[in-house]
Amino acid sequence: MHRTTALLHDLSVEVTARDRAAIARAGLAAGTRVSITHLGTETMQDRLDAAAAVRAAGLVPVPHVSARRLDDEQALRGALTGLREHGAHERVFVVGGDPRTPAGPYGSALDVIRSGLLAEHGVREVGLAGYPEGHPAIGDAELWESLAAKVAAVEEQGMTATVTSQFSFDADAVVAWITRVREAGVTAPVRVGVPGPAGIGRLLAFARRCGVGSSAGIVRKYGFSLTNLMGTATPDRFVADLAGRLDLAHHGEVHLHVYAFGDVAATAGWIAAAATRTLPIDAAEPA
């Protein structure tokens, strides 16, 4: 399998609950995994409705669980029970979440995993976060220690892990991070975060919020300029660069994870178009 084809195979998409009305008409391929974020401005019912919309569209829901937004154990049990009732419980993505102070007893994703409630409620696969360019509030050593501990805790409970990265403009940083993931003994599939088509100004605003590097050299290599914020940026050049650098034998199973940033239709359109451009991209790969 060509490296670009491997990246595009079994890719996933990330949306918010607000996108649920757009999911059915977006045209994503049947079976596509759709992550549903856990935002503080949305209710659990909003996320359940979004999960139902994802399933109704023939897609696979991957709802997020934000540890620090959970008030107590009952809140976690209630969320998992609701997901099970909607047939959206087998795959979840567990993250610490944005609040600095936990609302309840779960201060991290690891706390949620170690509670044992995921496996108890039928979860089979747990998504975990990765940060190729580091985290603005967490030190590098702590990030790597936490990732290893979370993967171990997931596997000890008979579930499987996947690692999904924050989006990046820098293929070099992503490849170096994947290499380090494998050197740390983590063999779980990796999903590399990429932004779907988005306005350049909006994309940079998300990058600043998430601590993603956006120096002039990096974004120019990605395909746009900091001095011209008009227009829309796509990840084509990044994906081609990433594909050219990956060694499947060394880097293991790697797929794309596309952040829709509120425009599911544009994201679905880019995915469909990227599939038709596989051979030209592969033809440019180094021998």
Side-chain angles (χ1 to χ4, degrees):
M1 181 182 290
H2 286 295
R3 284 170 283 186
T4 304
T5 305
L7 282 174
L8 293 170
H9 173 70
D10 191 27
L11 55 71
S12 49
V13 174
E14 186 156 318
V15 303
T16 72
R18 289 191 298 270
D19 297 317
R20 60 186 177 272
I23 290 169
R25 58 178 182 269
L28 290 168
T32 300
R33 298 177 188 221
V34 179
S35 290
I36 304 163
T37 58
H38 187 152
L39 300 179
T41 55
E42 297 169 346
T43 67
M44 185 62 210
Q45 189 59 53
D46 290 332
R47 290 186 288 279
L48 291 176
D49 290 345
V54 169
R55 276 181 53 82
L59 310 171
V60 179
V62 185
H64 288 208
V65 176
S66 178
R68 288 192 287 273
R69 294 192 187 279
L70 296 167
D71 293 331
D72 49 30
E73 180 182 313
Q74 189 56 41
L76 177 56
R77 286 185 178 275
L80 293 171
T81 298
L83 292 174
R84 186 160 196 160
E85 290 172 349
H86 284 72
H89 63 290
E90 293 190 348
R91 297 175 177 83
V92 299
F93 185 87
V94 185
V95 66
D98 294 331
R100 290 183 177 273
T101 303
Y106 307 108
S108 68
L110 185 59
D111 290 338
V112 169
I113 296 165
R114 285 178 171 167
S115 74
L117 295 177
L118 300 180
E120 179 183 317
H121 285 78
V123 174
R124 296 191 298 110
E125 179 182 290
V126 181
L128 307 169
Y131 302 92
E133 298 180 54
H135 190 287
I138 304 174
D140 191 59
E142 184 178 352
L143 281 177
W144 286 104
E145 180 180 348
S146 174
L147 179 60
K150 287 184 289 189
V151 170
V154 167
E155 293 176 347
E156 285 167 5
Q157 295 178 51
M159 301 178 290
T160 59
T162 62
V163 182
T164 299
S165 80
Q166 178 59 271
F167 76 89
S168 175
F169 300 131
D170 189 349
D172 290 336
V174 171
V175 173
W177 172 76
I178 296 172
T179 299
R180 190 169 175 183
V181 168
R182 300 312 186 203
E183 290 174 347
V186 175
T187 59
V190 168
R191 294 183 174 273
V192 175
V194 298
I200 293 171
R202 189 170 188 222
L203 191 54
L204 290 173
F206 276 109
R208 286 191 294 271
R209 188 182 310 167
C210 299
V212 173
S214 54
S215 69
I218 290 174
V219 299
R220 184 167 57 250
K221 186 177 181 182
Y222 184 85
F224 63 90
S225 169
L226 290 175
T227 60
N228 181 8
L229 303 185
M230 302 299 292
T232 298
T234 70
D236 294 74
R237 189 178 298 181
F238 173 91
V239 172
D241 194 12
L242 179 65
R245 294 169 182 270
L246 285 177
D247 176 352
L248 300 182
H250 176 64
H251 294 115
E253 186 177 345
V254 181
H255 307 280
L256 293 183
H257 180 77
V258 189
Y259 292 85
F261 291 139
D263 196 337
V264 185
T267 295
W270 177 82
I271 291 170
T276 69
R277 292 196 296 269
T278 297
L279 289 178
I281 291 175
D282 285 337
E285 292 176 359

